[in-house]
Amino acid sequence: MPDLVMGIDLGTTNSAVAMITEDEPRLISNALGERLTPSVVGVDLDGHVVVGRTARELMVTHPDRCVSQFKRKMGIEWKTRLAGQSFTPEELSALILRSLKQDAEAFHGEPIDRAVITVPAYFNDDQRKATLTAGRIAGLKVERILNEPTAAALAYGFRDPGSERVLLIFDLGGGTCDVSVVDVMDGTIEVRASSGEGILGGEDFTRTMAARVLERCGQGFERAEMQSPTLVSRMLWECETAKRVLSRHDSTTVRIPDRSGRIGDDARTETITRAEFGQWTESLMARMEVPIRRALGDAGLKRPDVNEVILVGGATRMPLVVERIASMFSKPPLCGLNPDEVVALGAAVQAGLIAREASVEDLVVTDVAPFSLGINVAKTFGLERREGYFLPIIHRNTTIPVSRVQSIQTLHPNQRTISIQIYQGEARKIADNLRLGEFDVNGIPLGPAGQLVDVRFTYDLNGVLEVEATVSATRRTITHVVTRHARGLSAAEIAKAVKAMQALKTHPREEAENRFLLRRAERLFGELGADARQIIGSLLDGFEEALEGGDPAVIERHRQALKDYLDSQEPSEGDENEEPSDGRW
Ligand code: AMP
């Protein structure tokens, strides 16, 4: 029996865990029986931390107690306060990871602590380290950080590894857009080029819709965001649903909440058509084409060279996106696997490779560095010296792991120190690239200008960078693991974060369904009209009383009555993506 290793897709909007079972990668359901866990964390009214759908329900009624989209904050100095407690993005991600770990453990009936975690290909060094830290805080041994499009290629390549083809993976998630060009041949899955847009995803489509609809009602989105967060959070919820409905229908209506965020029986409604939504989001769709062109250019390919275009990420369910991609490639994209699940499935294949599962042992996977990495240097033009130029040491789309050396020299006589400034990006001037870190090389022997220092960049399979500088004359080496915000926390800091996490109050897993139902009922109580509120109120009273009584049969009876009524008032949102839409799924 191989060791157990999980594959985790830690998404901006949803997360999922998968493992190889019976020779196939499979998603593992959470405590609510769902395969996707919303990446939302909240502190409930009783002070317990809640995650997933329960937190997402709470977010509508109590936006100040909840946070989502924290993946966009990974790797930067940022904290949020929820009900008086402070959380970093790593801690919030760790709470999601811990919940997925518990789901996998409940499924297998034994502790599991090894994991592969996926990140957008375009995640930089800080963001990757933050993901590693989140894993460690959640009590995981992170075996590999895997690029999301590479995971998707694995999920598809796993099925028919022998047949030779070029895949283009287009991944539009909640917050990021990644593109990879991949060769599949003789059991080898080789990423040739990756590119991406860090801040472009489905959430931008939702926000654009919310902004346009509010505009129609004479309100500015940004102003509303400041003045009435509850209104905006309810509005985003409405638009999220409307966006999904527009993936199946030509038009839909959105109900406009009042200033307090309530949607009464007499709420104003606005009709939105798919064509209109297409016009509003034209600039977002034009931005999607940029990474496609760049990835193809880097791979030295033209659009007709691509045999299969694969769509990944929930936002590729939008027909507008599918049409755009189809017209770019003059062929319909492939969507054999569910786009929300394919990354987790691919992570499970990689996890299987690490665990030496027999069903995947013949696969070989290679990936690339998605951006160039280098240092700041001065250039001499005649007698004039100009500072601030980027010297790439590892060029983008080099196969990883990779280690490259570049010699630099002192500029002045008797210069004892060189400052190595590390950057990521493609621009000629460092000012336009992302600064990753800096360290000093001291102890250069006295002498004329031109003393040599060898700078070695090593980029590992996780996409984590280490820089080493060696003074040629003395052979003294200084090693620097790049950490801009000290995000690669020390062992003591991790231990402290783990302890803080354990101290958080959480509900037992078996109570998850009841907690979720309570939150959903509270939300609908706030949203619906007087008659429905009265019915929900009395069903809730009965359910709460039953929970206090502790008799399982009574609890179940009240639970079912409440659930049936809530379902009759709104379609269960999870169903939206279950059935085939437009013949695609
Ligand atoms: P992911 O990060 O891959 O889970 O993608 C999440 C994004 O997909 C969110 O912005 C969702 O709003 C979006 N999404 C999921 N289902 C649909 C759908 N049926 N139509 C449009 N967008 C969707």
Side-chain angles (χ1 to χ4, degrees):
M1 169 99 183
D3 289 344
L4 295 174
V5 185
M6 321 171 248
I8 295 180
D9 169 9
L10 185 60
T12 310
T13 319
N14 291 304
S15 296
V17 56
M19 292 175 78
I20 301 244
T21 41
E22 291 161 20
D23 292 346
E24 282 261 304
R26 277 177 218 269
L27 269 287
I28 294 171
S29 298
N30 61 24
L32 300 178
E34 291 167 347
R35 294 190 298 241
L36 299 180
T37 297
S39 305
V40 184
V41 173
V43 178
D44 213 339
L45 305 183
D46 58 6
H48 287 69
V49 169
V50 286
V51 303
R53 269 192 91 175
T54 309
R56 210 176 61 180
E57 292 287 346
L58 184 67
M59 183 144 90
V60 181
T61 48
H62 296 85
D64 54 323
R65 289 183 158 264
C66 297
V67 56
S68 63
Q69 308 272 319
F70 38 84
K71 182 169 168 180
R72 289 184 175 197
K73 309 282 187 206
M74 288 291 264
I76 56 173
E77 294 292 351
W78 181 85
K79 275 191 180 183
T80 189
R81 282 190 88 73
L82 306 177
Q85 300 184 54
S86 165
F87 294 90
T88 62
E90 290 86 336
E91 286 165 339
L92 296 166
S93 299
L95 285 163
I96 301 291
L97 290 172
R98 188 173 71 171
S99 159
L100 298 172
K101 175 178 188 286
Q102 287 164 354
D103 295 333
E105 289 175 338
F107 178 81
H108 277 280
E110 58 182 295
I112 308 176
D113 62 1
R114 300 172 71 199
V116 169
I117 304 179
T118 59
V119 295
Y122 236 62
F123 251 25
N124 66 34
D125 201 69
D126 284 332
Q127 294 165 306
R128 285 165 196 268
K129 289 222 179 76
T131 308
L132 283 170
T133 301
R136 289 169 69 189
I137 297 175
L140 293 173
K141 183 164 182 285
V142 183
E143 299 282 347
R144 178 72 54 81
I145 295 288
L146 180 68
N147 291 330
E148 286 164 13
T150 310
L154 269 173
Y156 275 90
F158 163 80
R159 271 152 217 280
D160 191 5
S163 93
E164 193 174 327
R165 59 212 197 267
V166 176
L167 313 178
L168 182 131
I169 320 278
F170 179 78
D171 179 355
L172 191 66
T176 49
C177 174
D178 279 328
V179 177
S180 287
V181 177
V182 181
D183 274 345
V184 180
M185 189 180 24
D186 296 336
T188 305
I189 297 170
E190 183 187 339
V191 179
R192 283 174 67 162
S194 280
S195 183
E197 283 278 300
I199 311 225
L200 173 64
E203 307 307 326
D204 298 296
F205 285 75
T206 311
R207 288 178 77 82
T208 300
M209 183 191 287
R212 287 305 187 102
V213 174
L214 279 177
E215 220 169 73
R216 264 201 208 161
C217 305
Q219 297 189 54
F221 186 74
E222 271 150 32
R223 196 143 157 238
E225 225 172 5
M226 278 189 311
Q227 289 178 346
S228 178
T230 328
L231 159 71
V232 170
S233 118
R234 183 72 48 93
M235 190 68 211
L236 287 171
W237 177 285
E238 283 285 307
C239 288
E240 176 63 33
T241 312
K243 181 178 79 172
R244 290 170 187 240
V245 174
L246 282 184
S247 294
R248 292 194 192 186
H249 303 282
D250 286 336
S251 76
T252 185
T253 50
V254 176
R255 298 172 301 169
I256 314 296
D258 64 20
R259 287 204 170 278
S260 64
R262 176 159 294 184
I263 297 176
D265 287 341
D266 53 351
R268 174 174 171 179
T269 58
E270 284 291 331
T271 301
I272 304 169
T273 62
R274 193 187 281 175
E276 213 167 18
F277 186 43
Q279 283 160 13
W280 293 344
T281 53
E282 173 54 38
S283 67
L284 295 176
M285 280 190 286
R287 278 173 61 201
M288 288 175 355
E289 294 190 7
V290 178
I292 296 181
R293 281 198 293 268
R294 214 183 301 136
L296 281 174
D298 284 355
L301 295 175
K302 302 239 172 326
R303 290 178 203 179
D305 299 327
V306 174
N307 301 108
E308 289 168 5
V309 182
I310 289 166
L311 296 185
V312 183
T316 62
R317 287 180 186 274
M318 284 184 278
L320 295 163
V321 172
V322 181
E323 283 157 21
R324 186 79 167 214
I325 302 286
S327 86
M328 272 188 91
F329 288 91
S330 312
K331 60 171 146 263
L334 278 195
C335 346
L337 296 172
N338 188 328
D340 303 311
E341 301 181 353
V342 58
V343 170
L345 291 173
V349 175
Q350 177 66 66
L353 282 165
I354 290 167
R356 298 177 193 282
E357 295 274 358
S359 55
V360 293
E361 68 186 354
D362 293 335
L363 277 184
V364 177
V365 191
T366 67
D367 208 343
V368 293
F371 27 65
S372 303
L373 297 156
I375 55 174
N376 176 18
V377 289
K379 278 192 182 176
T380 316
F381 296 84
L383 288 178
E384 195 194 343
R385 181 177 301 134
R386 289 194 207 143
E387 305 279 342
Y389 286 88
F390 181 55
L391 173 69
I393 296 183
I394 294 177
H395 287 272
R396 74 165 188 248
N397 293 320
T398 309
T399 300
I400 58 170
V402 57
S403 191
R404 292 271 154 84
V405 187
Q406 174 78 44
S407 291
I408 54 169
Q409 16 182 306
T410 52
L411 290 170
H412 315 287
N414 298 332
Q415 182 179 339
R416 303 298 310 268
T417 303
I418 285 187
S419 164
I420 308 279
Q421 292 172 26
I422 305 155
Y423 283 84
Q424 156 194 321
E426 314 307 327
R428 207 165 66 91
K429 299 274 184 73
I430 46 119
D432 299 322
N433 289 333
L434 177 75
R435 190 163 179 280
L436 295 179
E438 150 173 24
F439 68 105
D440 283 343
V441 182
N442 298 313
I444 300 171
L446 294 173
Q451 300 285 321
L452 289 180
V453 172
D454 290 337
V455 182
R456 176 180 288 280
F457 271 45
T458 305
Y459 198 64
D460 71 11
L461 281 171
N462 294 323
V464 168
L465 177 67
E466 191 184 274
V467 181
E468 240 176 40
T470 307
V471 180
S472 285
T474 60
R475 302 312 304 159
R476 200 171 75 85
T477 298
I478 298 168
T479 304
H480 182 77
V481 178
V482 180
T483 47
R484 189 163 51 133
H485 295 294
R487 279 281 166 235
L489 299 183
S490 67
E493 285 166 313
I494 301 256
K496 201 170 143 209
V498 171
K499 230 172 161 183
M501 176 114 155
Q502 281 160 354
L504 292 173
K505 284 190 290 179
T506 51
H507 296 293
R509 194 168 187 279
E510 53 280 9
E511 283 180 20
E513 281 212 41
N514 293 342
R515 292 287 141 199
F516 165 63
L517 202 60
L518 286 172
R519 297 278 31 120
R520 182 173 170 221
E522 296 282 3
R523 170 175 63 78
L524 280 168
F525 184 86
E527 271 177 21
L528 297 172
D531 291 349
R533 283 161 72 94
Q534 204 180 356
I535 298 171
I536 293 179
S538 66
L539 286 168
L540 255 176
D541 290 346
F543 184 44
E544 279 178 340
E545 209 172 302
L547 286 172
E548 272 164 35
D551 179 337
V554 180
I555 293 175
E556 183 50 30
R557 206 173 58 242
H558 283 269
R559 204 181 74 79
Q560 202 55 49
L562 178 60
K563 182 172 182 307
D564 287 348
Y565 185 72
L566 299 184
D567 285 349
S568 73
Q569 294 301 303
E570 68 169 1
S572 156
E573 192 219 327
D575 294 342
E576 201 48 58
N577 284 341
E578 302 276 300
E579 298 162 31
S581 67
D582 300 328
R584 297 181 57 222
W585 290 283

